């Protein structure tokens, strides 16, 4: 069920039954329309007063939040499973414009100047605005993690493995830098960029803050803010959120 709640007083405005299961697809809102995915493999659109508009089946399970690409008048969403895809849907009608197989993922899409960036358990993919896969960067043996984060012309991704890494890739798929998060642990999170600082969380109970992320070269090393190996306490976890949800606004 999807609920609309008054932001000022917490009173429920309306609710609608979307599907048997909505796993982790948060709604995206644009131009008085709410978009959401579900485990039946559908993306549905509702007006902000709860009126049903359309739904489209994209295959697999939609466990990512839709990305609203205003410039191209479309919703872009990923689906999970062996036959998972990245799919572009028309904002108004829900018609599928194109669909590209990427092997399936639960991570949301990130928008870049070159196209759509999406992470699977195995790699980072760049898909252009026409649905053509431009390149992929292998991440090694990992498990599904958070959505990529795009800062200027740099793509950041956090791997989800026993010793998780923060990886920086350029728009051509070239590795710029990577750093292991210590102490070693799993990390099912997206990086968050605020006021020139990149924040990363890990299951080890820490948040890391990195500077110099907009000018990463071999001669300009990544630095923890303040030059510390220490990290910000996990109480700051509110700074970390899914990039795909942020991009949907």
């Amino acid at each position: 069920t999807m609920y609309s709640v008054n932001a000022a007083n917490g009173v429920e405005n309306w609710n609608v039954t979307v599907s048997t299961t909505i796993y982790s697809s948060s709604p995206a809102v644009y131009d008085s329309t709410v978009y959401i995915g579900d485990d039946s493999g559908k993306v549905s659109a509702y007006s902000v007063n709860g009126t049903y508009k359309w739904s489209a089946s994209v295959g697999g399970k939609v466990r990512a939040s839709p990305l609203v690409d205003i410039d191209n008048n479309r919703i872009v969403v990923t689906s999970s499973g062996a036959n998972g895809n990245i799919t572009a849907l028309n904002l108004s009608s829900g018609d599928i414009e194109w669909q590209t197989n990427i092997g399936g993922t639960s991570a949301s899409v990130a928008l870049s100047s070159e196209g759509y960036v999406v992470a699977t358990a195995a790699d980072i993919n760049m898909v252009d605005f026409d649905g053509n896969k431009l390149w992929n960067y292998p991440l090694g043996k990992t498990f599904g993690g958070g959505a990529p984060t795009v800062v200027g012309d740099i793509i950041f991704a956090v791997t989800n493995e026993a010793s998780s890494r923060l990886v920086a890739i350029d728009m051509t798929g070239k590795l710029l830098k990577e750093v292991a998060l210590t102490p070693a642990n799993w990390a099912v999170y997206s990086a968050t960029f605020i006021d020139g600082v990149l924040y990363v969380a890990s299951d080890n109970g820490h948040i890391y803050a990195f500077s110099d992320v907009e000018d990463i070269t071999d001669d300009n090393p990544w630095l923890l803010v303040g030059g510390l190996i220490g990290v910000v306490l996990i109480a700051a976890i509110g700074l970390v959120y899914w990039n795909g949800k942020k991009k949907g606004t």
Side-chain angles (χ1 to χ4, degrees):
T1 303
M2 180 169 63
Y3 294 85
S4 169
V5 178
N6 186 288
N9 56 27
V11 174
E12 180 183 318
N13 296 320
W14 49 261
N15 71 79
V16 294
T17 299
V18 176
S19 177
T20 302
T21 306
I22 302 173
Y23 189 79
S24 58
S25 178
S26 294
V29 183
Y30 173 69
D31 196 24
S32 300
T33 303
V34 185
Y35 304 92
I36 190 167
D38 62 57
D39 259 26
S40 72
K42 291 183 179 180
V43 177
S44 300
Y46 296 84
S47 69
V48 291
N49 63 13
T51 303
Y52 172 84
K53 298 182 75 171
W54 55 258
S55 65
S57 180
V58 299
K61 298 180 178 181
V62 181
R63 293 186 166 181
S65 298
L67 168 76
V68 179
D69 182 355
I70 299 171
D71 290 341
N72 289 293
N73 192 44
R74 64 173 58 134
I75 289 287
V76 184
V77 69
T78 60
S79 49
S80 62
N83 296 318
N85 301 292
I86 177 172
T87 305
L89 304 163
N90 182 273
L91 272 176
S92 302
S93 66
D95 292 339
I96 294 179
E97 297 179 356
W98 50 258
Q99 190 171 70
T100 302
N101 182 263
I102 55 171
T105 180
S106 59
S108 300
V109 181
L111 184 64
S112 77
S113 59
E114 300 299 317
Y116 307 107
V117 186
V118 62
T120 72
D123 53 20
I124 301 291
N125 295 275
M126 174 71 80
V127 178
D128 70 16
F129 296 110
D130 295 318
N132 302 303
K133 189 184 294 186
L134 299 181
W135 53 259
N136 73 298
Y137 176 81
L139 293 173
K141 186 177 180 180
T142 73
F143 297 87
T149 300
V150 178
V151 181
D153 290 327
I154 304 175
I155 301 162
F156 294 95
V158 181
T159 65
N160 184 30
E161 54 191 324
S163 181
S164 295
R165 297 162 286 143
L166 173 63
V167 178
I169 305 166
D170 71 12
M171 289 293 154
T172 68
K174 175 186 175 183
L175 177 67
L176 298 174
K177 188 82 66 176
E178 72 174 15
V179 59
L181 304 179
T182 56
N185 213 317
W186 306 87
V188 195
Y189 308 101
S190 299
T192 299
F193 186 71
I194 303 173
D195 294 334
V197 179
L198 191 78
Y199 298 93
V200 179
S202 169
D203 277 11
N204 61 27
H206 297 81
I207 289 183
Y208 303 82
F210 293 92
S211 63
D212 293 334
V213 298
E214 290 186 298
D215 185 23
I216 296 176
T217 66
D218 291 339
D219 299 323
N220 186 11
W222 248 339
L223 298 175
L224 280 167
V225 171
L228 300 176
I229 298 178
V231 294
V232 183
L233 293 176
I234 199 66
I237 193 67
L239 289 172
V240 180
Y241 47 86
W242 289 97
N243 182 65
K245 296 179 173 64
K246 181 66 176 176
K247 291 293 185 180
T249 59

mmCIF file of all heavy atoms in Angstrom, residues 89-115:
data_model
loop_
_atom_site.group_PDB
_atom_site.id
_atom_site.type_symbol
_atom_site.label_atom_id
_atom_site.label_comp_id
_atom_site.label_asym_id
_atom_site.label_seq_id
_atom_site.Cartn_x
_atom_site.Cartn_y
_atom_site.Cartn_z
ATOM 1 N N LEU A 89 10.531 4.555 -19.628
ATOM 2 C CA LEU A 89 9.090 4.640 -19.837
ATOM 3 C C LEU A 89 8.684 6.089 -20.050
ATOM 4 O O LEU A 89 9.199 6.992 -19.381
ATOM 5 C CB LEU A 89 8.348 4.106 -18.612
ATOM 6 C CG LEU A 89 8.668 2.686 -18.148
ATOM 7 C CD1 LEU A 89 8.178 2.469 -16.732
ATOM 8 C CD2 LEU A 89 8.032 1.688 -19.091
ATOM 9 N N ASN A 90 7.759 6.308 -20.950
ATOM 10 C CA ASN A 90 7.241 7.651 -21.169
ATOM 11 C C ASN A 90 6.526 8.148 -19.917
ATOM 12 O O ASN A 90 5.715 7.421 -19.330
ATOM 13 C CB ASN A 90 6.292 7.654 -22.366
ATOM 14 C CG ASN A 90 5.745 9.022 -22.674
ATOM 15 O OD1 ASN A 90 4.729 9.445 -22.117
ATOM 16 N ND2 ASN A 90 6.413 9.728 -23.569
ATOM 17 N N LEU A 91 6.820 9.374 -19.509
ATOM 18 C CA LEU A 91 6.239 9.933 -18.289
ATOM 19 C C LEU A 91 4.716 9.947 -18.325
ATOM 20 O O LEU A 91 4.055 9.642 -17.327
ATOM 21 C CB LEU A 91 6.741 11.368 -18.077
ATOM 22 C CG LEU A 91 8.030 11.588 -17.304
ATOM 23 C CD1 LEU A 91 8.375 13.076 -17.303
ATOM 24 C CD2 LEU A 91 7.910 11.085 -15.887
ATOM 25 N N SER A 92 4.150 10.310 -19.442
ATOM 26 C CA SER A 92 2.707 10.524 -19.528
ATOM 27 C C SER A 92 1.908 9.245 -19.736
ATOM 28 O O SER A 92 0.842 9.058 -19.147
ATOM 29 C CB SER A 92 2.391 11.504 -20.662
ATOM 30 O OG SER A 92 3.049 12.737 -20.462
ATOM 31 N N SER A 93 2.429 8.348 -20.572
ATOM 32 C CA SER A 93 1.656 7.170 -20.972
ATOM 33 C C SER A 93 2.122 5.866 -20.344
ATOM 34 O O SER A 93 1.364 4.890 -20.298
ATOM 35 C CB SER A 93 1.700 7.022 -22.496
ATOM 36 O OG SER A 93 3.028 6.740 -22.919
ATOM 37 N N GLY A 94 3.392 5.815 -19.912
ATOM 38 C CA GLY A 94 3.955 4.566 -19.422
ATOM 39 C C GLY A 94 4.437 3.642 -20.518
ATOM 40 O O GLY A 94 4.901 2.526 -20.242
ATOM 41 N N ASP A 95 4.362 4.072 -21.770
ATOM 42 C CA ASP A 95 4.843 3.246 -22.879
ATOM 43 C C ASP A 95 6.357 3.036 -22.758
ATOM 44 O O ASP A 95 7.105 3.966 -22.443
ATOM 45 C CB ASP A 95 4.544 3.909 -24.219
ATOM 46 C CG ASP A 95 3.056 3.960 -24.520
ATOM 47 O OD1 ASP A 95 2.310 3.165 -23.931
ATOM 48 O OD2 ASP A 95 2.648 4.823 -25.332
ATOM 49 N N ILE A 96 6.805 1.801 -23.028
ATOM 50 C CA ILE A 96 8.231 1.496 -22.973
ATOM 51 C C ILE A 96 8.924 2.069 -24.209
ATOM 52 O O ILE A 96 8.561 1.752 -25.338
ATOM 53 C CB ILE A 96 8.466 -0.014 -22.880
ATOM 54 C CG1 ILE A 96 7.932 -0.550 -21.541
ATOM 55 C CG2 ILE A 96 9.948 -0.343 -23.033
ATOM 56 C CD1 ILE A 96 8.088 -2.046 -21.364
ATOM 57 N N GLU A 97 9.908 2.922 -23.983
ATOM 58 C CA GLU A 97 10.665 3.512 -25.084
ATOM 59 C C GLU A 97 11.823 2.610 -25.490
ATOM 60 O O GLU A 97 12.118 2.458 -26.669
ATOM 61 C CB GLU A 97 11.185 4.893 -24.674
ATOM 62 C CG GLU A 97 10.065 5.890 -24.387
ATOM 63 C CD GLU A 97 10.592 7.245 -23.970
ATOM 64 O OE1 GLU A 97 11.827 7.407 -23.831
ATOM 65 O OE2 GLU A 97 9.769 8.162 -23.785
ATOM 66 N N TRP A 98 12.493 2.032 -24.527
ATOM 67 C CA TRP A 98 13.540 1.039 -24.773
ATOM 68 C C TRP A 98 13.819 0.262 -23.496
ATOM 69 O O TRP A 98 13.443 0.680 -22.411
ATOM 70 C CB TRP A 98 14.825 1.655 -25.319
ATOM 71 C CG TRP A 98 15.386 2.831 -24.569
ATOM 72 C CD1 TRP A 98 15.286 4.146 -24.916
ATOM 73 C CD2 TRP A 98 16.152 2.811 -23.346
ATOM 74 N NE1 TRP A 98 15.924 4.947 -23.994
ATOM 75 C CE2 TRP A 98 16.468 4.147 -23.027
ATOM 76 C CE3 TRP A 98 16.590 1.809 -22.497
ATOM 77 C CZ2 TRP A 98 17.208 4.493 -21.887
ATOM 78 C CZ3 TRP A 98 17.327 2.141 -21.360
ATOM 79 C CH2 TRP A 98 17.633 3.470 -21.075
ATOM 80 N N GLN A 99 14.451 -0.884 -23.669
ATOM 81 C CA GLN A 99 14.789 -1.750 -22.544
ATOM 82 C C GLN A 99 16.115 -2.432 -22.851
ATOM 83 O O GLN A 99 16.290 -2.993 -23.929
ATOM 84 C CB GLN A 99 13.685 -2.780 -22.319
ATOM 85 C CG GLN A 99 13.806 -3.574 -21.043
ATOM 86 C CD GLN A 99 12.564 -4.415 -20.790
ATOM 87 O OE1 GLN A 99 12.311 -5.392 -21.499
ATOM 88 N NE2 GLN A 99 11.786 -4.041 -19.768
ATOM 89 N N THR A 100 17.035 -2.375 -21.889
ATOM 90 C CA THR A 100 18.377 -2.930 -22.087
ATOM 91 C C THR A 100 18.692 -3.892 -20.957
ATOM 92 O O THR A 100 18.541 -3.558 -19.780
ATOM 93 C CB THR A 100 19.430 -1.813 -22.108
ATOM 94 O OG1 THR A 100 19.110 -0.890 -23.160
ATOM 95 C CG2 THR A 100 20.824 -2.373 -22.334
ATOM 96 N N ASN A 101 19.135 -5.101 -21.324
ATOM 97 C CA ASN A 101 19.469 -6.093 -20.311
ATOM 98 C C ASN A 101 20.805 -5.757 -19.657
ATOM 99 O O ASN A 101 21.797 -5.508 -20.334
ATOM 100 C CB ASN A 101 19.540 -7.491 -20.924
ATOM 101 C CG ASN A 101 19.841 -8.549 -19.889
ATOM 102 O OD1 ASN A 101 20.985 -8.954 -19.731
ATOM 103 N ND2 ASN A 101 18.820 -9.007 -19.185
ATOM 104 N N ILE A 102 20.814 -5.735 -18.335
ATOM 105 C CA ILE A 102 22.052 -5.471 -17.591
ATOM 106 C C ILE A 102 22.320 -6.570 -16.569
ATOM 107 O O ILE A 102 23.273 -6.461 -15.789
ATOM 108 C CB ILE A 102 22.004 -4.102 -16.874
ATOM 109 C CG1 ILE A 102 20.773 -4.015 -15.965
ATOM 110 C CG2 ILE A 102 22.054 -2.961 -17.870
ATOM 111 C CD1 ILE A 102 20.764 -2.794 -15.075
ATOM 112 N N GLY A 103 21.496 -7.608 -16.555
ATOM 113 C CA GLY A 103 21.710 -8.698 -15.630
ATOM 114 C C GLY A 103 20.935 -8.593 -14.339
ATOM 115 O O GLY A 103 20.930 -9.517 -13.530
ATOM 116 N N GLY A 104 20.255 -7.479 -14.114
ATOM 117 C CA GLY A 104 19.394 -7.353 -12.952
ATOM 118 C C GLY A 104 20.052 -6.679 -11.771
ATOM 119 O O GLY A 104 21.208 -6.930 -11.451
ATOM 120 N N THR A 105 19.330 -5.783 -11.116
ATOM 121 C CA THR A 105 19.835 -5.085 -9.949
ATOM 122 C C THR A 105 18.687 -4.495 -9.145
ATOM 123 O O THR A 105 17.609 -4.238 -9.687
ATOM 124 C CB THR A 105 20.800 -3.950 -10.362
ATOM 125 O OG1 THR A 105 21.283 -3.288 -9.181
ATOM 126 C CG2 THR A 105 20.111 -2.922 -11.249
ATOM 127 N N SER A 106 18.925 -4.286 -7.866
ATOM 128 C CA SER A 106 17.952 -3.596 -7.021
ATOM 129 C C SER A 106 18.370 -2.158 -6.768
ATOM 130 O O SER A 106 17.713 -1.438 -6.020
ATOM 131 C CB SER A 106 17.805 -4.331 -5.677
ATOM 132 O OG SER A 106 19.045 -4.382 -5.009
ATOM 133 N N ALA A 107 19.484 -1.730 -7.376
ATOM 134 C CA ALA A 107 19.980 -0.368 -7.188
ATOM 135 C C ALA A 107 19.293 0.599 -8.156
ATOM 136 O O ALA A 107 19.018 0.253 -9.305
ATOM 137 C CB ALA A 107 21.489 -0.314 -7.397
ATOM 138 N N SER A 108 19.043 1.797 -7.694
ATOM 139 C CA SER A 108 18.408 2.817 -8.530
ATOM 140 C C SER A 108 19.388 3.399 -9.536
ATOM 141 O O SER A 108 20.613 3.302 -9.373
ATOM 142 C CB SER A 108 17.846 3.935 -7.648
ATOM 143 O OG SER A 108 16.892 3.436 -6.747
ATOM 144 N N VAL A 109 18.850 4.025 -10.566
ATOM 145 C CA VAL A 109 19.646 4.629 -11.636
ATOM 146 C C VAL A 109 20.148 6.002 -11.202
ATOM 147 O O VAL A 109 19.439 6.746 -10.511
ATOM 148 C CB VAL A 109 18.797 4.762 -12.915
ATOM 149 C CG1 VAL A 109 19.604 5.370 -14.052
ATOM 150 C CG2 VAL A 109 18.237 3.408 -13.317
ATOM 151 N N ALA A 110 21.355 6.339 -11.612
ATOM 152 C CA ALA A 110 21.896 7.683 -11.416
ATOM 153 C C ALA A 110 22.027 8.362 -12.775
ATOM 154 O O ALA A 110 22.385 7.722 -13.772
ATOM 155 C CB ALA A 110 23.247 7.637 -10.714
ATOM 156 N N LEU A 111 21.725 9.642 -12.828
ATOM 157 C CA LEU A 111 21.773 10.399 -14.079
ATOM 158 C C LEU A 111 23.130 11.075 -14.223
ATOM 159 O O LEU A 111 23.646 11.670 -13.272
ATOM 160 C CB LEU A 111 20.659 11.445 -14.078
ATOM 161 C CG LEU A 111 20.476 12.285 -15.339
ATOM 162 C CD1 LEU A 111 20.073 11.416 -16.519
ATOM 163 C CD2 LEU A 111 19.429 13.372 -15.092
ATOM 164 N N SER A 112 23.710 10.989 -15.412
ATOM 165 C CA SER A 112 24.987 11.654 -15.700
ATOM 166 C C SER A 112 24.876 12.415 -17.006
ATOM 167 O O SER A 112 23.870 12.330 -17.715
ATOM 168 C CB SER A 112 26.119 10.621 -15.787
ATOM 169 O OG SER A 112 26.085 9.929 -17.028
ATOM 170 N N SER A 113 25.934 13.128 -17.347
ATOM 171 C CA SER A 113 25.952 13.887 -18.605
ATOM 172 C C SER A 113 26.008 12.977 -19.820
ATOM 173 O O SER A 113 25.623 13.379 -20.920
ATOM 174 C CB SER A 113 27.157 14.833 -18.623
ATOM 175 O OG SER A 113 28.373 14.104 -18.487
ATOM 176 N N GLU A 114 26.463 11.740 -19.649
ATOM 177 C CA GLU A 114 26.623 10.810 -20.767
ATOM 178 C C GLU A 114 25.490 9.799 -20.873
ATOM 179 O O GLU A 114 25.367 9.113 -21.879
ATOM 180 C CB GLU A 114 27.947 10.057 -20.628
ATOM 181 C CG GLU A 114 29.178 10.952 -20.613
ATOM 182 C CD GLU A 114 29.320 11.750 -21.887
ATOM 183 O OE1 GLU A 114 29.105 11.174 -22.978
ATOM 184 O OE2 GLU A 114 29.647 12.946 -21.795
ATOM 185 N N GLY A 115 24.674 9.694 -19.829
ATOM 186 C CA GLY A 115 23.600 8.715 -19.846
ATOM 187 C C GLY A 115 23.243 8.283 -18.440
ATOM 188 O O GLY A 115 23.369 9.045 -17.484
#
